[in-house]
Amino acid sequence: SIRPVVHHGRSLGLVGTVQAALMPRRVLVQARRHGHWRLVARARPNRSGRFSIRWRVKARRTRTVRLRAVAPGVARSRPLVIALARR
């Protein structure tokens, strides 16, 4: 399998879409930390449903980060697993 890799302290760009018919006001990006999903970023989708964010990876004691997008009225996305590399 292929897994995206990002360095600690670097920015990670995420792009996604939501169905225009369900158009939520905002999309929440969450990271799995200490067994819970925590909010790390918010985005507003444009008219076509696309959204993008930049998030600085601050995790130091882990080798992977799990991210997902959540929007009211829309099913949660599958978690994206990102490998973290040391500088």
Side-chain angles (χ1 to χ4, degrees), residues 18-39:
V18 292
Q19 294 177 0
L22 301 174
M23 192 56 69
R25 286 186 167 180
R26 79 173 64 161
V27 175
L28 307 176
V29 177
Q30 298 176 334
R32 186 89 173 166
R33 292 185 185 162
H34 306 291
H36 301 283
W37 289 102
R38 313 264 184 195
L39 178 67

Side-chain angles (χ1 to χ4, degrees), residues 2 6 10 20 33 36 40 42 66 68 77-78:
I2 297 173
V6 66
R10 298 290 179 143
R33 292 185 185 162
H36 301 283
V40 295
R42 293 183 182 104
R66 295 184 193 295
R68 72 177 182 185
S77 68
R78 287 189 353 217

